[in-house]
Amino acid sequence: QAIYLNKATQLAKDIIKKVVKSGDVVVDATIGNGNDTVFLCNLVGDSGKVYGFDIQKKAVMTTIKKLEMENVIDRAVIIEDGHENIDKYVKEEVSAIMFNLGYLPKADHNITTKYNTTIEAIKKGIKVLKLNGVMTIVVYPGHKEGFEEKIKLLEFLEKIDQKYINVLKLEFINQINNPPFVLALEKKSKDVVF
Ligand code: SAM
């Protein structure tokens, strides 16, 4: 069993840990069971703020409960709406945004992220990222929608000029069955053109 290089979600957290400081404002674009939301709340500390998005009531309820149990609910703004509407709620600049795509484990697998709204959310997310802010995206190409999402996301991200954003792909090249992988973006210019 690997300890350091076994999970895409852990690799995304390792990147985020390097970037987020106490007092920062950040976004969890897909709260799900709230694991990343709690992780982000702990990183930003008492004076920071975490916006969390999900379209499923179940995810919202589970996450709120988890944040209450961890005593960090005061740092979070939980929004039951799609991340593609991020611009309606997040008016300040943020240092990091985490996406964990796909569907909620042990819930309705039909409620999954879809490439068109994901790309819209990524574009809007890049707008609210501050200079040198970072976005991580964990992609799950092992199911049908996820595979399509992977193709469209890569198509979009590969075309962004490197003078605006550095785009990194971290993937396990010897795992079978389309394993999850991580995309990480660092904003290098205030005026990004897509
Ligand atoms: N990060 C979560 C955790 O730590 O438990 C897991 C997230 S789960 C893989 C993906 C989540 O994205 C699901 O809960 C799903 O409801 C949500 N989702 C799907 N479409 C969405 C959208 N347009 N906006 C926000 N969330 C969405």
Side-chain angles (χ1 to χ4, degrees):
Q1 177 73 30
I3 298 173
Y4 302 111
L5 303 180
N6 63 343
K7 273 182 98 176
T9 47
Q10 186 56 47
L11 296 173
K13 282 185 184 171
D14 292 344
I15 293 169
I16 291 293
K17 240 188 260 172
K18 282 187 164 192
V19 177
V20 176
K21 307 269 181 299
S22 167
D24 279 3
V25 182
V26 300
V27 177
D28 183 351
T30 48
I31 57 178
N33 287 321
N35 298 309
D36 291 340
T37 326
V38 169
F39 164 75
L40 288 169
C41 281
N42 286 327
L43 284 184
V44 300
D46 256 346
S47 53
K49 195 199 282 185
V50 180
Y51 288 95
F53 291 86
D54 209 293
I55 51 171
Q56 277 192 77
K57 182 149 242 115
K58 184 179 189 306
V60 167
M61 301 312 284
T62 310
T63 297
I64 289 175
K65 229 185 249 162
K66 202 169 267 176
L67 293 168
E68 280 170 351
M69 272 174 58
E70 298 287 332
N71 241 332
V72 291
I73 188 78
D74 293 350
R75 306 170 190 181
V77 180
I78 302 302
I79 298 152
E80 190 181 337
D81 198 356
H83 40 221
E84 63 276 16
N85 297 319
I86 183 173
D87 53 327
K88 283 196 198 150
Y89 304 93
V90 182
K91 301 293 179 189
E92 65 263 68
E93 288 195 320
V94 306
S95 65
I97 303 178
M98 294 183 86
F99 284 83
N100 190 0
L101 303 179
Y103 50 77
L104 197 56
K106 293 184 216 145
D108 185 352
H109 289 194
N110 293 314
I111 309 176
T112 184
T113 54
K114 303 212 165 65
Y115 76 83
N116 48 352
T117 40
T118 304
I119 290 176
E120 198 181 336
I122 291 172
K123 283 184 181 170
K124 288 182 176 175
I126 289 168
K127 286 243 161 73
V128 299
L129 265 189
K130 66 181 187 189
L131 207 55
N132 299 110
V134 165
M135 177 185 289
T136 58
I137 309 163
V138 180
V139 188
Y140 296 83
H143 63 114
K144 191 175 157 283
E145 260 112 355
F147 191 81
E148 192 180 22
E149 195 172 34
K150 165 192 162 169
I151 304 287
K152 300 282 187 186
L153 273 184
L154 292 178
E155 225 173 71
F156 164 63
L157 292 172
E158 278 164 5
K159 284 199 198 105
I160 300 178
D161 194 312
Q162 69 184 64
K163 71 177 181 242
Y164 301 129
I165 300 173
N166 275 355
V167 185
L168 170 77
K169 183 180 177 207
L170 268 173
E171 68 177 340
F172 296 97
I173 60 171
N174 66 339
Q175 284 186 1
I176 57 164
N177 294 337
N178 292 310
F181 64 93
V182 182
L183 295 165
L185 285 60
E186 178 175 349
K187 183 164 167 177
K188 291 159 66 184
S189 160
K190 280 256 174 215
D191 314 294
V192 180
V193 178
F194 298 113

